[in-house]
Amino acid sequence: MGKTGDQAINQKEQLGITVGINLRIQLRGSKDTWNGNLVGMAADRYLIAEVPAIPGLWVKLHQTNNIIVRYLRGGKAYGFYSTLIAAMNEPVRLAFLAYPEKIETVNLRKFQRVPCLIPAAVSMNGVSHQGAFTDMSEGGCSFLFDQSGAAPDLGVQIADEIVFSVCLIGSSKEREIRAIVRNVRTADKRTSIGTQFHEPGDDLLESIRSYMGKVGNLDVP
């Protein structure tokens, strides 16, 4: 995979991976990649991925480290070499991959993020929705929509321009923050978006830095 400012972690540390996550699978020596999904695992033993028809995959059976797997989670790109240890085509096409001995990570986020729970509203296409910031950095935030009542038709798309209304910690004044949607996530009937702040002013950045300085080093259980 090559080194590009990445960090190697050993097998005993968590992969940062969960069932259902999208995997990018590549055969070593090939330029092509295929999408798969993690459907199961046994820690320190193997991973199980549902995969499409990959030409030449079964030929790699038991050939050491001939499979390259990459995935994204929590603002980091992960990658590792693995070995195809078993495969099946029916009733679904599954690949059993050896648990990696080493994982390489690259932090894709330019700014450190800290968890938070700050009530806020977001205006999209002239409609306001309630929710909360669930993490925040100088560059953007994650926003979780309040869907405790009848689930609204959010209609949010990547690259949408939105406006937050929020009182940041330490301030009693509500302020507007313009942002651009960078990702949309739905899980357990809850929708959240990852956003990038659009031309934040110096006063906003100072407020965020102040908040992060107060909570960033807290040991939250």
Side-chain angles (χ1 to χ4, degrees):
M1 283 175 287
K3 296 288 184 178
T4 55
D6 43 352
Q7 177 184 2
I9 59 179
N10 64 40
Q11 180 183 13
K12 299 302 181 182
E13 298 186 59
Q14 291 187 358
L15 295 180
I17 197 170
T18 56
V19 170
I21 202 167
N22 178 259
L23 305 175
R24 295 290 290 172
I25 298 171
Q26 182 178 8
L27 305 187
R28 201 165 184 177
S30 171
K31 294 182 179 179
D32 296 324
T33 59
W34 294 267
N35 284 315
N37 287 291
L38 184 73
V39 296
M41 72 174 84
D44 298 332
R45 296 176 59 197
Y46 56 81
L47 307 174
I48 308 173
E50 184 174 354
V51 297
I54 301 177
L57 176 62
W58 298 166
V59 176
K60 302 295 183 180
L61 192 65
H62 301 305
Q63 294 184 19
T64 304
N65 288 342
N66 264 311
I67 310 296
I68 302 172
V69 179
R70 298 183 178 91
Y71 54 97
L72 298 174
R73 187 166 187 265
K76 287 185 177 181
Y78 293 77
F80 58 83
Y81 291 114
S82 186
T83 301
L84 181 68
I85 56 177
M88 59 183 291
N89 285 317
E90 298 291 342
V92 294
R93 188 177 289 108
L94 298 176
F96 292 76
L97 304 174
Y99 205 84
E101 296 182 358
K102 185 178 70 173
I103 306 98
E104 296 174 359
T105 68
V106 180
N107 193 337
L108 302 179
R109 288 178 175 161
K110 182 178 179 181
F111 303 104
Q112 176 192 6
R113 291 201 176 198
V114 297
C116 61
L117 190 60
I118 304 175
V122 61
S123 178
M124 307 184 306
N125 302 316
V127 180
S128 181
H129 302 276
Q130 298 298 313
F133 288 3
T134 56
D135 66 41
M136 186 168 54
S137 76
E138 293 180 39
C141 71
S142 292
F143 178 84
L144 176 66
F145 288 90
D146 180 2
Q147 295 177 263
S148 55
D153 182 11
L154 298 174
V156 60
Q157 301 289 331
I158 292 174
D160 281 354
E161 296 184 9
I162 60 177
V163 179
F164 292 116
S165 298
V166 61
C167 289
L168 295 178
I169 302 298
S171 173
S172 59
K173 182 180 179 181
E174 186 175 79
R175 66 188 309 153
E176 291 189 346
I177 304 174
R178 308 189 73 82
I180 299 173
V181 178
R182 293 306 185 194
N183 61 68
V184 181
R185 303 178 294 272
T186 300
D188 299 326
K189 298 183 180 180
R190 304 177 74 187
T191 299
S192 63
I193 54 177
T195 71
Q196 178 183 354
F197 295 145
H198 180 59
E199 298 181 353
D202 291 340
D203 59 335
L204 171 61
L205 294 177
E206 185 57 37
S207 295
I208 294 173
R209 290 180 190 127
S210 176
Y211 172 78
M212 293 179 65
K214 291 175 182 177
V215 305
N217 293 322
L218 293 178
D219 185 13
V220 180

PDB file of all heavy atoms in Angstrom, residues 195-216:
ATOM      1  N   THR A 195     -20.457  18.060   8.039  1.00  0.00           N
ATOM      2  CA  THR A 195     -20.440  19.331   7.318  1.00  0.00           C
ATOM      3  C   THR A 195     -19.086  20.024   7.416  1.00  0.00           C
ATOM      4  O   THR A 195     -18.300  19.770   8.348  1.00  0.00           O
ATOM      5  CB  THR A 195     -21.514  20.298   7.864  1.00  0.00           C
ATOM      6  OG1 THR A 195     -21.125  20.753   9.176  1.00  0.00           O
ATOM      7  CG2 THR A 195     -22.868  19.628   7.941  1.00  0.00           C
ATOM      8  N   GLN A 196     -18.851  20.894   6.476  1.00  0.00           N
ATOM      9  CA  GLN A 196     -17.672  21.765   6.468  1.00  0.00           C
ATOM     10  C   GLN A 196     -18.146  23.195   6.576  1.00  0.00           C
ATOM     11  O   GLN A 196     -19.003  23.639   5.803  1.00  0.00           O
ATOM     12  CB  GLN A 196     -16.878  21.576   5.177  1.00  0.00           C
ATOM     13  CG  GLN A 196     -15.654  22.478   5.056  1.00  0.00           C
ATOM     14  CD  GLN A 196     -14.946  22.305   3.722  1.00  0.00           C
ATOM     15  OE1 GLN A 196     -15.293  21.438   2.927  1.00  0.00           O
ATOM     16  NE2 GLN A 196     -13.950  23.122   3.470  1.00  0.00           N
ATOM     17  N   PHE A 197     -17.616  23.924   7.566  1.00  0.00           N
ATOM     18  CA  PHE A 197     -18.003  25.322   7.719  1.00  0.00           C
ATOM     19  C   PHE A 197     -17.556  26.115   6.498  1.00  0.00           C
ATOM     20  O   PHE A 197     -16.464  25.907   5.963  1.00  0.00           O
ATOM     21  CB  PHE A 197     -17.399  25.925   8.983  1.00  0.00           C
ATOM     22  CG  PHE A 197     -17.908  25.304  10.260  1.00  0.00           C
ATOM     23  CD1 PHE A 197     -17.067  25.163  11.364  1.00  0.00           C
ATOM     24  CD2 PHE A 197     -19.208  24.859  10.367  1.00  0.00           C
ATOM     25  CE1 PHE A 197     -17.529  24.596  12.538  1.00  0.00           C
ATOM     26  CE2 PHE A 197     -19.690  24.290  11.544  1.00  0.00           C
ATOM     27  CZ  PHE A 197     -18.840  24.155  12.625  1.00  0.00           C
ATOM     28  N   HIS A 198     -18.422  27.057   6.064  1.00  0.00           N
ATOM     29  CA  HIS A 198     -18.128  27.865   4.888  1.00  0.00           C
ATOM     30  C   HIS A 198     -17.680  29.255   5.325  1.00  0.00           C
ATOM     31  O   HIS A 198     -18.443  30.024   5.887  1.00  0.00           O
ATOM     32  CB  HIS A 198     -19.366  27.973   4.001  1.00  0.00           C
ATOM     33  CG  HIS A 198     -19.160  28.791   2.759  1.00  0.00           C
ATOM     34  ND1 HIS A 198     -18.209  28.471   1.809  1.00  0.00           N
ATOM     35  CD2 HIS A 198     -19.757  29.931   2.323  1.00  0.00           C
ATOM     36  CE1 HIS A 198     -18.241  29.360   0.833  1.00  0.00           C
ATOM     37  NE2 HIS A 198     -19.164  30.255   1.129  1.00  0.00           N
ATOM     38  N   GLU A 199     -16.412  29.539   5.105  1.00  0.00           N
ATOM     39  CA  GLU A 199     -15.813  30.834   5.425  1.00  0.00           C
ATOM     40  C   GLU A 199     -16.136  31.289   6.854  1.00  0.00           C
ATOM     41  O   GLU A 199     -16.731  32.343   7.074  1.00  0.00           O
ATOM     42  CB  GLU A 199     -16.279  31.893   4.424  1.00  0.00           C
ATOM     43  CG  GLU A 199     -15.854  31.597   2.991  1.00  0.00           C
ATOM     44  CD  GLU A 199     -16.309  32.665   2.012  1.00  0.00           C
ATOM     45  OE1 GLU A 199     -17.077  33.575   2.422  1.00  0.00           O
ATOM     46  OE2 GLU A 199     -15.899  32.604   0.838  1.00  0.00           O
ATOM     47  N   PRO A 200     -15.753  30.466   7.857  1.00  0.00           N
ATOM     48  CA  PRO A 200     -16.011  30.873   9.248  1.00  0.00           C
ATOM     49  C   PRO A 200     -15.186  32.103   9.615  1.00  0.00           C
ATOM     50  O   PRO A 200     -14.018  32.216   9.243  1.00  0.00           O
ATOM     51  CB  PRO A 200     -15.575  29.647  10.058  1.00  0.00           C
ATOM     52  CG  PRO A 200     -14.554  28.980   9.182  1.00  0.00           C
ATOM     53  CD  PRO A 200     -15.018  29.201   7.773  1.00  0.00           C
ATOM     54  N   GLY A 201     -15.784  33.036  10.331  1.00  0.00           N
ATOM     55  CA  GLY A 201     -15.080  34.244  10.749  1.00  0.00           C
ATOM     56  C   GLY A 201     -14.149  33.979  11.910  1.00  0.00           C
ATOM     57  O   GLY A 201     -14.214  32.935  12.567  1.00  0.00           O
ATOM     58  N   ASP A 202     -13.280  34.938  12.191  1.00  0.00           N
ATOM     59  CA  ASP A 202     -12.316  34.784  13.283  1.00  0.00           C
ATOM     60  C   ASP A 202     -13.008  34.611  14.627  1.00  0.00           C
ATOM     61  O   ASP A 202     -12.528  33.856  15.485  1.00  0.00           O
ATOM     62  CB  ASP A 202     -11.381  35.994  13.336  1.00  0.00           C
ATOM     63  CG  ASP A 202     -10.438  36.050  12.141  1.00  0.00           C
ATOM     64  OD1 ASP A 202     -10.250  34.995  11.495  1.00  0.00           O
ATOM     65  OD2 ASP A 202      -9.897  37.134  11.864  1.00  0.00           O
ATOM     66  N   ASP A 203     -14.143  35.289  14.829  1.00  0.00           N
ATOM     67  CA  ASP A 203     -14.832  35.182  16.121  1.00  0.00           C
ATOM     68  C   ASP A 203     -15.395  33.775  16.321  1.00  0.00           C
ATOM     69  O   ASP A 203     -15.364  33.228  17.427  1.00  0.00           O
ATOM     70  CB  ASP A 203     -15.940  36.227  16.238  1.00  0.00           C
ATOM     71  CG  ASP A 203     -16.984  36.104  15.140  1.00  0.00           C
ATOM     72  OD1 ASP A 203     -16.648  35.571  14.060  1.00  0.00           O
ATOM     73  OD2 ASP A 203     -18.125  36.548  15.356  1.00  0.00           O
ATOM     74  N   LEU A 204     -15.913  33.169  15.238  1.00  0.00           N
ATOM     75  CA  LEU A 204     -16.417  31.803  15.336  1.00  0.00           C
ATOM     76  C   LEU A 204     -15.279  30.839  15.636  1.00  0.00           C
ATOM     77  O   LEU A 204     -15.390  29.976  16.515  1.00  0.00           O
ATOM     78  CB  LEU A 204     -17.116  31.397  14.043  1.00  0.00           C
ATOM     79  CG  LEU A 204     -17.508  29.924  13.935  1.00  0.00           C
ATOM     80  CD1 LEU A 204     -18.476  29.543  15.035  1.00  0.00           C
ATOM     81  CD2 LEU A 204     -18.107  29.621  12.559  1.00  0.00           C
ATOM     82  N   LEU A 205     -14.176  30.970  14.925  1.00  0.00           N
ATOM     83  CA  LEU A 205     -13.039  30.089  15.156  1.00  0.00           C
ATOM     84  C   LEU A 205     -12.524  30.210  16.574  1.00  0.00           C
ATOM     85  O   LEU A 205     -12.160  29.216  17.211  1.00  0.00           O
ATOM     86  CB  LEU A 205     -11.922  30.395  14.151  1.00  0.00           C
ATOM     87  CG  LEU A 205     -12.234  30.083  12.680  1.00  0.00           C
ATOM     88  CD1 LEU A 205     -11.066  30.496  11.795  1.00  0.00           C
ATOM     89  CD2 LEU A 205     -12.532  28.601  12.498  1.00  0.00           C
ATOM     90  N   GLU A 206     -12.508  31.425  17.098  1.00  0.00           N
ATOM     91  CA  GLU A 206     -12.037  31.627  18.472  1.00  0.00           C
ATOM     92  C   GLU A 206     -12.975  30.958  19.463  1.00  0.00           C
ATOM     93  O   GLU A 206     -12.534  30.356  20.457  1.00  0.00           O
ATOM     94  CB  GLU A 206     -11.925  33.122  18.778  1.00  0.00           C
ATOM     95  CG  GLU A 206     -11.324  33.434  20.143  1.00  0.00           C
ATOM     96  CD  GLU A 206      -9.940  32.810  20.327  1.00  0.00           C
ATOM     97  OE1 GLU A 206      -9.159  32.772  19.355  1.00  0.00           O
ATOM     98  OE2 GLU A 206      -9.651  32.359  21.460  1.00  0.00           O
ATOM     99  N   SER A 207     -14.291  31.034  19.214  1.00  0.00           N
ATOM    100  CA  SER A 207     -15.266  30.389  20.095  1.00  0.00           C
ATOM    101  C   SER A 207     -15.090  28.874  20.070  1.00  0.00           C
ATOM    102  O   SER A 207     -15.151  28.209  21.108  1.00  0.00           O
ATOM    103  CB  SER A 207     -16.686  30.754  19.676  1.00  0.00           C
ATOM    104  OG  SER A 207     -16.935  32.123  19.831  1.00  0.00           O
ATOM    105  N   ILE A 208     -14.858  28.314  18.874  1.00  0.00           N
ATOM    106  CA  ILE A 208     -14.670  26.869  18.754  1.00  0.00           C
ATOM    107  C   ILE A 208     -13.385  26.433  19.446  1.00  0.00           C
ATOM    108  O   ILE A 208     -13.359  25.433  20.169  1.00  0.00           O
ATOM    109  CB  ILE A 208     -14.657  26.458  17.277  1.00  0.00           C
ATOM    110  CG1 ILE A 208     -16.039  26.695  16.645  1.00  0.00           C
ATOM    111  CG2 ILE A 208     -14.264  24.989  17.123  1.00  0.00           C
ATOM    112  CD1 ILE A 208     -16.076  26.467  15.153  1.00  0.00           C
ATOM    113  N   ARG A 209     -12.311  27.198  19.246  1.00  0.00           N
ATOM    114  CA  ARG A 209     -11.039  26.850  19.892  1.00  0.00           C
ATOM    115  C   ARG A 209     -11.180  26.894  21.410  1.00  0.00           C
ATOM    116  O   ARG A 209     -10.631  26.047  22.125  1.00  0.00           O
ATOM    117  CB  ARG A 209      -9.946  27.811  19.438  1.00  0.00           C
ATOM    118  CG  ARG A 209      -9.535  27.629  17.976  1.00  0.00           C
ATOM    119  CD  ARG A 209      -8.451  28.600  17.598  1.00  0.00           C
ATOM    120  NE  ARG A 209      -8.210  28.599  16.158  1.00  0.00           N
ATOM    121  CZ  ARG A 209      -8.211  29.680  15.398  1.00  0.00           C
ATOM    122  NH1 ARG A 209      -8.439  30.875  15.945  1.00  0.00           N
ATOM    123  NH2 ARG A 209      -7.986  29.591  14.100  1.00  0.00           N
ATOM    124  N   SER A 210     -11.915  27.883  21.903  1.00  0.00           N
ATOM    125  CA  SER A 210     -12.115  28.002  23.345  1.00  0.00           C
ATOM    126  C   SER A 210     -12.870  26.797  23.887  1.00  0.00           C
ATOM    127  O   SER A 210     -12.492  26.207  24.904  1.00  0.00           O
ATOM    128  CB  SER A 210     -12.889  29.289  23.664  1.00  0.00           C
ATOM    129  OG  SER A 210     -13.174  29.379  25.039  1.00  0.00           O
ATOM    130  N   TYR A 211     -13.916  26.396  23.182  1.00  0.00           N
ATOM    131  CA  TYR A 211     -14.697  25.230  23.602  1.00  0.00           C
ATOM    132  C   TYR A 211     -13.837  23.970  23.570  1.00  0.00           C
ATOM    133  O   TYR A 211     -13.824  23.182  24.524  1.00  0.00           O
ATOM    134  CB  TYR A 211     -15.907  25.068  22.689  1.00  0.00           C
ATOM    135  CG  TYR A 211     -16.656  23.780  22.926  1.00  0.00           C
ATOM    136  CD1 TYR A 211     -17.524  23.645  23.998  1.00  0.00           C
ATOM    137  CD2 TYR A 211     -16.471  22.693  22.077  1.00  0.00           C
ATOM    138  CE1 TYR A 211     -18.196  22.461  24.225  1.00  0.00           C
ATOM    139  CE2 TYR A 211     -17.141  21.502  22.302  1.00  0.00           C
ATOM    140  CZ  TYR A 211     -18.004  21.385  23.374  1.00  0.00           C
ATOM    141  OH  TYR A 211     -18.662  20.210  23.601  1.00  0.00           O
ATOM    142  N   MET A 212     -13.093  23.777  22.474  1.00  0.00           N
ATOM    143  CA  MET A 212     -12.283  22.576  22.340  1.00  0.00           C
ATOM    144  C   MET A 212     -11.187  22.540  23.391  1.00  0.00           C
ATOM    145  O   MET A 212     -10.826  21.467  23.892  1.00  0.00           O
ATOM    146  CB  MET A 212     -11.687  22.507  20.938  1.00  0.00           C
ATOM    147  CG  MET A 212     -12.732  22.302  19.849  1.00  0.00           C
ATOM    148  SD  MET A 212     -12.018  22.263  18.181  1.00  0.00           S
ATOM    149  CE  MET A 212     -11.003  20.778  18.277  1.00  0.00           C
ATOM    150  N   GLY A 213     -10.655  23.696  23.741  1.00  0.00           N
ATOM    151  CA  GLY A 213      -9.630  23.752  24.762  1.00  0.00           C
ATOM    152  C   GLY A 213     -10.157  23.338  26.128  1.00  0.00           C
ATOM    153  O   GLY A 213      -9.421  22.771  26.956  1.00  0.00           O
ATOM    154  N   LYS A 214     -11.464  23.576  26.373  1.00  0.00           N
ATOM    155  CA  LYS A 214     -12.041  23.239  27.664  1.00  0.00           C
ATOM    156  C   LYS A 214     -12.413  21.767  27.765  1.00  0.00           C
ATOM    157  O   LYS A 214     -12.373  21.172  28.850  1.00  0.00           O
ATOM    158  CB  LYS A 214     -13.307  24.092  27.898  1.00  0.00           C
ATOM    159  CG  LYS A 214     -12.998  25.574  28.100  1.00  0.00           C
ATOM    160  CD  LYS A 214     -14.283  26.377  28.207  1.00  0.00           C
ATOM    161  CE  LYS A 214     -13.976  27.852  28.365  1.00  0.00           C
ATOM    162  NZ  LYS A 214     -15.227  28.676  28.408  1.00  0.00           N
ATOM    163  N   VAL A 215     -12.824  21.162  26.645  1.00  0.00           N
ATOM    164  CA  VAL A 215     -13.334  19.791  26.713  1.00  0.00           C
ATOM    165  C   VAL A 215     -12.448  18.764  26.020  1.00  0.00           C
ATOM    166  O   VAL A 215     -12.619  17.560  26.215  1.00  0.00           O
ATOM    167  CB  VAL A 215     -14.764  19.700  26.121  1.00  0.00           C
ATOM    168  CG1 VAL A 215     -15.681  20.686  26.793  1.00  0.00           C
ATOM    169  CG2 VAL A 215     -14.730  19.944  24.609  1.00  0.00           C
ATOM    170  N   GLY A 216     -11.510  19.216  25.208  1.00  0.00           N
ATOM    171  CA  GLY A 216     -10.741  18.295  24.385  1.00  0.00           C
ATOM    172  C   GLY A 216      -9.927  17.292  25.168  1.00  0.00           C
ATOM    173  O   GLY A 216      -9.688  16.177  24.694  1.00  0.00           O
TER     174      GLY A 216
END
